[in-house]
Amino acid sequence: MTTQDEPASCKVVLAGSIAKSLQAEVAEGLSKLSKKPLLVGFLANKDPAARLYADWTNKTCEENGFKFSLREVDREELEGHILAANQDEIVDGIIVYYPIFNSRQDQYLQQLIDVGKDVEGLSHRYVFNMYQNIRYLDEQKLQKSILPCTPLAIVKILEYLKVYNTILPYGNRLFGHTITVVNRSEVVGRPLAALLANDGACVYSVDVTGVQQFTRGEGIKKRRHEVVEKDGWTLEDCVPLSDVVISGVPGEAFKFPISALKEGAVCISFSTEKNFGPEVKDRASIYVPAIGKVTIIVLLRNLLIKSRIRLDKLIDKTSKSPRPSRYFCEPTVCSVSLTQFLKAIRMLRQIKPKNARSKRELAKREPLAHENTKTVLLLRGTSCSSLVQDLLSDINALKRPFSIRFTKKNDIHPFEDASSLEFFSQKNDASLLLFGSHSKKRPHCMTWIRCFGGQVLDMMELCVVKDTARTLGQFKGEKCKVGLKPLLSFSGAQFESPVANQYTLAKSMLTDFFRGGESATVDVEGLQLMIHFAAGEDAQDGSLAKIQMRCWRIVTKRSGQRVPRVEVEEMGPRIDFTIGRTKEAESSVWKEAMKKPKGTEAKVKKNIETDLVGDKIGRIHLGRQDLSELQTRKMKSLKRNREEAVEEDVDDIPVVSDEDADDARDVQLKKLRNR
């Protein structure tokens, strides 16, 4: 006969179940915004914990409908990237994954982030409000002050576990609780102790230097907490007094002394290392092994609040009568969408550099009389087939070094909302974008996009035919070198149509993507790559003809003569495209994009032309010529003797009458003999 097992004395609570209770609040607030907030994360270290936090942030943003962009930069260039993100109106929130320098330089970077975009709550104003127990930013108490994500996540966990006494008034709900925090870092430990003490708890903050006590005085009569050094105290002195223990020591060597733990205590770990051993379940009543998912939901909550505040300020500036700012209130109905309104503001605003570095960066992006080689930015959507990813890599190889490849997923729908594409174009100074995606309706789709002035000019969908596609790696043999200017050729009557159609747009688009930089001279040795595009005839069912892309490697071999023998070898990729949706440029914008600046047009030389072959032809204008005075060459064989000349001259005398003719003849003969 068997008996049922005794119920476990410790309840293990996972962070995922706690995060679900906060997701409903975040989803409700997001549904009342006119656009998805964009969070930008900067990763400038190789700390595995920071990388894990960044991956969790990306995954949680995708699951909850937020936009997230992770930018991995060098730590020496992080300052400039933060300043640029501060000025970018598209960015709603900024997060930096610490540590960077493990010095006071990290504190400087924390203060560098714009207060309106600091979702971590590490700016001086937020830190000051937290330590001074100031909970609002304004006197009307409409805008809550942002709190650091990890300490606030632990507070939310304690609220979920009913450690907070909801019967007591707000701000005193931890009165009567004793809490030990094993960590006193400036990012998590000390802010957490201050928050808990401001809510009425008696907090012991423990680190390697000793123990400090955070309280609001006897009977919590003081407005803010005070700190008292506990000389001679150790961790073993604090733990038996505490009904809540929170540990976050980064290191495998540290193990929490379970034997000193008070029975029935609540234990929470916020370290990536396991500070608590498995025996903690024998003495604790509730154990939370990790808090990562709750921290990220709190981060999104802070981002949502910052987005709402920024939107309220933007509307207040454009409204005649200011209105009070409220979180998650219904958006104001405007005659234009918020995206169009923000786009207009971005076009009108002028960015003023704050230092020499940003001034040089802005100078590089100013319009030029002779533009630089266009850079192609390659992106992928949330759903992208492996075939399209391989082809994006191949096109990246053909375009290098004038290409940038992003491998992270991006929730972008180019034909519905192009704001994210415009953001990527501006930030990376790339006027050409290639976006790969895959869906049941549009399988293996590649969207080719051109931008002008930071805004989308036109775009075109070309879907890859999977059966005939071959990648660069599937072709054996040597490949072309990097950075070569290709020889482009187009065959097909559709490309030469005098009427604009999908094929003329495709020819213009593909030429811009693959033509490379301008060159005054051509070296035959550099002609190693040929890209050919062909369009056949339309099918009988009325579908458009496919566009075939073939890449060839031009090889010169010895022929025994001065002129080498030229051969071509297919090197890949081999792609057949079917034409999908297109978006043509507006006539006014296209006219502006095609305008040439003054001074760049070549001076026209009169009477000099160049034919189709490239030969120069000159035209000389002469005055009217009198051929009777033309001096010709005298030849002896053409000379006449005297008698022939006399007879010819006599025959030329006009005859009037017989008598007159005889007299005139005699006179003429006399003159000729006297010569």
Side-chain angles (χ1 to χ4, degrees):
M1 183 175 179
T2 61
T3 60
Q4 289 184 337
D5 296 337
E6 293 290 334
S9 59
C10 179
K11 174 67 173 179
V12 178
V13 181
L14 300 179
S17 59
I18 305 174
K20 290 181 180 178
S21 62
L22 298 173
Q23 286 178 339
E25 177 188 355
V26 172
E28 181 182 359
L30 183 62
S31 64
K32 296 181 180 180
L33 291 179
S34 58
K35 76 178 187 70
K36 296 181 180 180
L38 172 63
L39 176 64
V40 174
F42 290 105
L43 184 62
N45 58 45
K46 297 185 178 180
D47 185 6
R51 167 64 69 176
L52 181 62
Y53 188 18
D55 293 341
W56 281 351
T57 307
N58 184 24
K59 182 179 179 181
T60 308
C61 286
E62 290 181 357
E63 293 176 350
N64 292 274
F66 289 79
K67 295 180 180 179
F68 178 72
S69 174
L70 179 62
R71 304 177 185 179
E72 299 184 32
V73 300
D74 187 80
R75 67 178 189 174
E76 301 297 337
E77 300 177 354
L78 179 58
E79 178 181 353
H81 287 281
I82 292 176
L83 292 176
N86 286 341
Q87 297 177 353
D88 191 355
E89 293 293 338
I90 300 179
V91 178
D92 296 292
I94 300 173
I95 179 174
V96 178
Y97 298 100
Y98 297 98
I100 307 298
F101 294 94
N102 273 326
S103 63
R104 294 189 63 184
Q105 182 73 6
D106 288 0
Q107 299 178 10
Y108 165 72
L109 293 174
Q110 293 172 5
Q111 307 310 317
L112 201 63
I113 300 175
D114 185 5
V115 176
K117 299 183 179 182
D118 180 16
V119 295
E120 295 183 282
L122 300 179
S123 298
H124 173 71
R125 183 180 181 185
Y126 297 138
V127 174
F128 175 81
N129 288 353
M130 177 186 62
Y131 285 121
Q132 296 296 322
N133 200 15
I134 301 174
R135 305 191 178 222
Y136 293 92
L137 296 174
D138 54 348
E139 296 180 357
Q140 294 81 11
K141 295 185 179 181
L142 298 175
Q143 299 181 6
K144 274 191 173 183
S145 182
I146 298 296
L147 296 175
C149 295
T150 304
L152 181 57
I154 296 175
V155 170
K156 293 297 181 182
I157 291 173
L158 293 176
E159 290 179 350
Y160 179 85
L161 300 177
K162 306 300 182 182
V163 176
Y164 273 73
N165 189 350
T166 56
I167 299 177
L168 296 177
Y170 182 73
N172 299 334
R173 293 180 176 178
L174 284 181
F175 181 57
H177 289 283
T178 302
I179 302 175
T180 294
V181 179
V182 190
N183 180 300
R184 198 157 62 239
S185 66
E186 295 298 331
V187 178
V188 181
R190 186 185 295 275
L192 176 60
L195 284 175
L196 299 176
N198 287 337
D199 282 340
C202 174
V203 183
Y204 293 104
S205 178
V206 184
D207 73 346
V208 293
T209 62
V211 179
Q212 292 180 349
Q213 184 183 28
F214 288 65
T215 64
R216 282 171 54 190
E218 186 177 356
I220 58 173
K221 295 180 180 180
K222 296 185 178 181
R223 185 182 62 85
R224 59 176 297 270
H225 72 278
E226 61 180 10
V227 183
V228 178
E229 292 284 346
K230 306 295 288 185
D231 296 332
W233 280 48
T234 62
L235 179 62
E236 285 74 10
D237 298 323
C238 307
V239 173
L241 305 176
S242 305
D243 49 355
V244 177
V245 177
I246 304 170
S247 180
V249 179
E252 298 180 357
F254 175 78
K255 295 298 179 183
F256 191 87
I258 304 298
S259 58
L261 189 65
K262 181 180 178 180
E263 288 192 358
V266 176
C267 296
I268 301 174
S269 175
F270 64 88
S271 173
T272 55
E273 308 295 341
K274 295 182 179 180
N275 291 169
F276 295 98
E279 60 273 14
V280 68
K281 300 177 184 178
D282 297 333
R283 299 184 66 86
S285 60
I286 299 176
Y287 175 49
V288 181
I291 68 167
K293 293 184 178 180
V294 182
T295 304
I296 299 175
I297 288 294
V298 169
L299 175 71
L300 298 183
R301 180 178 177 271
N302 288 349
L303 174 62
L304 203 59
I305 294 174
K306 302 305 296 183
S307 301
R308 183 69 260 174
I309 294 175
R310 293 181 68 244
L311 178 60
D312 287 344
K313 289 182 178 179
L314 182 63
I315 295 177
D316 288 343
K317 289 181 180 180
T318 57
S319 177
K320 294 182 179 179
S321 57
R323 62 183 182 86
S325 176
R326 296 282 184 185
Y327 301 140
F328 314 145
C329 63
E330 292 293 338
T332 300
V333 179
C334 302
S335 58
V336 295
S337 66
L338 177 63
T339 304
Q340 295 174 342
F341 182 68
L342 293 176
K343 185 183 293 186
I345 290 179
R346 290 197 303 270
M347 293 177 66
L348 293 176
R349 74 186 182 99
Q350 294 181 353
I351 301 176
K352 295 182 179 180
K354 295 183 178 180
N355 51 40
R357 180 181 297 177
S358 58
K359 184 177 181 180
R360 291 193 298 269
E361 187 66 23
L362 290 174
K364 293 179 182 179
R365 303 190 179 190
E366 289 180 352
L368 302 175
H370 300 278
E371 63 179 10
N372 300 327
T373 304
K374 295 180 180 180
T375 302
V376 177
L377 179 61
L378 299 102
L379 305 164
R380 58 160 297 184
T382 53
S383 177
C384 185
S385 63
S386 59
L387 173 61
V388 174
Q389 294 184 50
D390 293 340
L391 294 178
L392 288 177
S393 299
D394 293 348
I395 294 176
N396 182 42
L398 294 177
K399 285 293 299 179
R400 283 184 301 181
F402 304 109
S403 63
I404 304 172
R405 174 80 192 281
F406 286 176
T407 57
K408 294 291 184 180
K409 297 180 180 179
N410 299 279
D411 186 12
I412 300 176
H413 302 280
F415 285 85
E416 283 75 24
D417 183 12
S419 58
S420 297
L421 296 173
E422 294 169 353
F423 163 76
F424 282 121
S425 174
Q426 293 175 16
K427 292 297 105 180
N428 297 278
D429 195 18
S431 58
L432 303 174
L433 295 94
L434 182 55
F435 181 76
S437 60
H438 177 75
S439 65
K440 185 177 181 180
K441 187 176 182 180
R442 296 179 179 87
H444 314 295
C445 181
M446 302 177 73
T447 306
W448 306 71
I449 305 152
R450 287 189 294 192
C451 295
F452 172 71
Q455 311 298 321
V456 170
L457 179 65
D458 53 3
M459 63 180 78
M460 183 176 195
E461 279 184 349
L462 296 178
C463 298
V464 179
V465 179
K466 182 180 180 181
D467 297 337
T468 58
R470 298 292 183 271
T471 61
L472 193 66
Q474 292 178 308
F475 287 87
K476 306 299 182 182
E478 188 178 352
K479 310 300 180 185
C480 291
K481 297 180 180 179
V482 176
L484 294 178
K485 184 178 176 66
L487 175 64
L488 300 179
S489 62
F490 292 85
S491 62
Q494 294 92 331
F495 291 126
E496 305 300 330
S497 174
V499 180
N501 55 28
Q502 295 96 325
Y503 293 94
T504 56
L505 176 60
K507 180 180 180 180
S508 174
M509 191 88 66
L510 295 171
T511 302
D512 262 354
F513 267 80
F514 292 103
R515 70 177 182 178
E518 298 291 340
S519 57
T521 58
V522 177
D523 187 0
V524 178
E525 292 295 329
L527 290 177
Q528 299 182 12
L529 174 61
M530 175 182 175
I531 304 178
H532 179 69
F533 298 95
E537 297 181 356
D538 296 344
Q540 296 180 356
D541 57 358
S543 59
L544 297 176
K546 298 176 182 179
I547 298 178
Q548 300 174 346
M549 174 181 172
R550 302 291 184 266
C551 298
W552 307 83
R553 177 172 171 263
I554 302 176
V555 183
T556 54
K557 297 182 178 180
R558 293 182 178 179
S559 63
Q561 301 177 359
R562 291 186 60 185
V563 180
R565 181 163 53 91
V566 179
E567 295 182 358
V568 291
E569 300 175 356
E570 189 172 2
M571 55 169 279
R574 180 194 298 172
I575 313 173
D576 291 347
F577 293 111
T578 58
I579 299 177
R581 294 178 294 177
T582 60
K583 177 183 178 297
E584 297 183 356
E586 297 180 4
S587 57
S588 58
V589 181
W590 180 261
K591 183 178 180 181
E592 185 70 20
M594 297 300 292
K595 185 184 297 183
K596 294 183 179 180
K598 295 181 179 180
T600 59
E601 297 181 356
K603 293 184 178 179
V604 179
K605 295 182 179 180
K606 294 183 178 180
N607 305 321
I608 297 179
E609 298 176 351
T610 304
D611 59 8
L612 296 176
V613 184
D615 295 334
K616 187 180 294 186
I617 301 175
R619 184 183 293 108
I620 300 176
H621 291 273
L622 299 176
R624 185 174 181 179
Q625 302 294 310
D626 187 1
L627 299 180
S628 62
E629 299 179 356
L630 181 65
Q631 181 67 39
T632 58
R633 184 178 179 184
K634 297 180 179 179
M635 299 180 65
K636 292 183 178 180
S637 61
L638 298 178
K639 283 187 176 181
R640 299 175 295 176
N641 54 33
R642 179 179 293 271
E643 294 181 356
E644 292 177 351
V646 171
E647 292 180 356
E648 290 179 358
D649 291 341
V650 171
D651 294 337
D652 293 337
I653 297 174
V655 178
V656 180
S657 64
D658 294 339
E659 295 179 358
D660 294 337
D662 294 338
D663 295 339
R665 188 179 184 89
D666 294 338
V667 173
Q668 187 67 22
L669 289 173
K670 185 177 181 180
K671 289 181 179 180
L672 291 174
R673 291 191 183 99
N674 294 332
R675 285 183 179 180

